[in-house]
Amino acid sequence: MLDGEKEDNYCRSLRSRFDYLRHKYQLEKCSFEPVQFFKHRPDNFPTIRLSQLAMLYHIEQNLFSKICKINSVAAVYDIFKVNALYYWQDHYQFDKKSQVKKKMLSKSFIDLIVINTIVPVLFAFAKSQGREISENLVELINQVSPEKNAIIEKFSYFGIKSTNAFQTQSLLQLKNEYCNKSKCLECAIGMELLKSKK
């Protein structure tokens, strides 16, 4: 993202700091994958997400320790209440000004972080220490709002409603392990649906 000629002083400053750190830590031979902007909504651009992540690390000292101690989704929302750096309030990309907009992590995005990152990492970390915290994690994911996607909408169409993320994750697992593998006769929901069609 920092490659190429940029007119922006902020970008030039970042480039200068990056070049210094790359030399200091002997990263000259490292290759970096290009970031993708295509097919992303502007609020999900890598520039915005990286700025939010940097701000999270800046504000929250000992982030992993704090996450290990959480016992509610409200506590997660407090930790992840971060805004992109001031520069990004009126930018989505370097050298391209946009309308001023606060770029905070949305509740739905934080919910995805809980489902796809926090719960699996806490489970793996506890397991590596020989601790059992499955009940706590189930309780945590039960506090998260249900996911919204095409698969969950399809289950809803068939009358299977979800009230939290634990249930939507269960339905996604059913879809992957039973529906996708045509194991309808081994699935309680599949059997019920087949009976109702008679």
Side-chain angles (χ1 to χ4, degrees):
M1 286 188 290
L2 298 175
D3 285 342
E5 287 299 315
K6 303 279 196 299
E7 295 175 18
D8 215 291
N9 287 334
Y10 176 65
C11 183
R12 288 179 178 181
S13 168
L14 289 177
R15 180 68 202 206
S16 174
R17 283 187 266 170
F18 173 70
D19 288 340
Y20 167 76
L21 292 171
R22 181 162 56 179
H23 179 72
K24 180 179 179 180
Y25 295 106
Q26 299 173 0
L27 301 174
E28 279 86 2
K29 293 179 182 175
C30 291
S31 61
F32 300 97
E33 290 293 319
V35 295
Q36 299 295 322
F37 288 86
F38 184 63
K39 289 188 177 179
H40 286 293
R41 291 187 179 133
D43 283 350
N44 289 329
F45 276 5
T47 47
I48 305 304
R49 292 300 186 212
L50 284 169
S51 177
Q52 290 165 333
L53 179 63
M55 190 58 76
L56 177 65
Y57 284 143
H58 174 71
I59 293 170
E60 294 294 342
Q61 302 297 314
N62 306 312
L63 180 61
F64 186 71
S65 298
K66 285 185 179 179
I67 288 173
C68 285
K69 292 174 186 170
I70 59 169
N71 56 10
S72 71
V73 171
V76 178
Y77 295 148
D78 285 341
I79 291 171
F80 284 85
K81 195 183 286 182
V82 294
N83 208 343
L85 189 69
Y86 66 92
Y87 173 85
W88 299 106
Q89 304 309 312
D90 63 355
H91 287 78
Y92 286 100
Q93 296 181 51
F94 293 113
D95 282 345
K96 294 181 183 178
K97 273 206 162 196
S98 64
Q99 273 191 316
V100 175
K101 179 186 177 188
K102 279 196 168 185
K103 298 182 177 84
M104 299 190 75
L105 292 174
S106 67
K107 180 182 176 294
S108 60
F109 187 78
I110 298 170
D111 287 344
L112 289 175
I113 292 172
V114 172
I115 295 164
N116 297 313
T117 307
I118 292 176
V119 169
V121 166
L122 290 180
F123 177 79
F125 182 65
K127 189 173 181 181
S128 74
Q129 295 186 317
R131 294 185 298 120
E132 175 54 52
I133 62 165
S134 297
E135 283 185 29
N136 296 354
L137 295 178
V138 168
E139 189 178 315
L140 180 67
I141 205 166
N142 268 314
Q143 297 171 34
V144 177
S145 301
E147 296 162 89
K148 293 176 183 173
N149 58 45
I151 296 168
I152 300 305
E153 284 174 23
K154 195 76 166 175
F155 275 108
S156 183
Y157 173 79
F158 286 111
I160 303 165
K161 308 278 185 200
S162 301
T163 58
N164 58 54
F166 181 78
Q167 293 173 351
T168 55
Q169 283 292 295
S170 300
L171 292 175
L172 291 172
Q173 180 70 4
L174 279 172
K175 169 87 168 63
N176 289 332
E177 295 302 317
Y178 291 90
C179 302
N180 291 355
K181 296 177 182 178
S182 299
K183 293 183 176 179
C184 303
L185 298 177
E186 297 174 36
C187 172
I189 294 172
M191 289 296 287
E192 285 299 313
L193 290 172
L194 289 171
K195 282 180 196 173
S196 67
K197 287 188 177 182
K198 287 183 180 178

